[in-house]
Amino acid sequence: MPEPTSTDAAAVSRRLDTVLRAEAQAAGCDAFIAADPGFVIEAKKRWPGVRIHLSTLADAANHGAAAFWKRLGVERITLPRHLTLAATEAL
């Protein structure tokens, strides 16, 4: 199946169903890694209880960003690689 564009909501919806129900479960996936708020919101709406971990690509490098993602239901945040140890400890 070709990857849908972000403007094709129906195709994105079908792809999410395919990924979650068939590919991810068959592979033993226990969480999704995401960097897009739209994906997180849609996944949480469609499949209550789905676990989402935040990718470094989301660049959650401060308290405000971490709080935002937590409000969306992200369970684990992988911090950006460019943060210093002191910045990481401050979070």
Side-chain angles (χ1 to χ4, degrees), residues 5-6 8 11 15-16 18 20-21 25 29 31 33 38 42 51-52 54 60 66-67 78 80 83 86 90:
T5 64
S6 61
D8 187 354
R15 182 68 180 149
L16 287 175
T18 299
L20 184 67
R21 291 195 180 135
Q25 288 179 346
C29 177
I33 299 173
E42 187 64 21
R51 297 177 67 211
I52 307 285
L54 193 66
T78 305
L83 289 183

Side-chain angles (χ1 to χ4, degrees), residues 4-17 38 42 45-46:
T5 64
S6 61
T7 57
D8 187 354
V12 170
S13 179
R14 286 190 304 275
R15 182 68 180 149
L16 287 175
D17 282 336
E42 187 64 21
K45 184 176 15 172
R46 285 178 164 277

Side-chain angles (χ1 to χ4, degrees), residues 1-79:
M1 172 187 288
E3 294 297 317
T5 64
S6 61
T7 57
D8 187 354
V12 170
S13 179
R14 286 190 304 275
R15 182 68 180 149
L16 287 175
D17 282 336
T18 299
V19 168
L20 184 67
R21 291 195 180 135
E23 298 170 20
Q25 288 179 346
C29 177
D30 66 349
F32 283 103
I33 299 173
D36 181 88
F39 175 84
V40 173
I41 291 167
E42 187 64 21
K44 289 291 191 177
K45 184 176 15 172
R46 285 178 164 277
W47 311 289
V50 69
R51 297 177 67 211
I52 307 285
H53 297 175
L54 193 66
S55 169
T56 60
L57 297 175
D59 200 31
N62 58 58
H63 289 283
F68 166 78
W69 290 107
K70 184 177 180 180
R71 283 192 306 275
L72 288 186
V74 170
E75 295 182 25
R76 179 176 293 168
I77 296 174
T78 305
L79 297 175

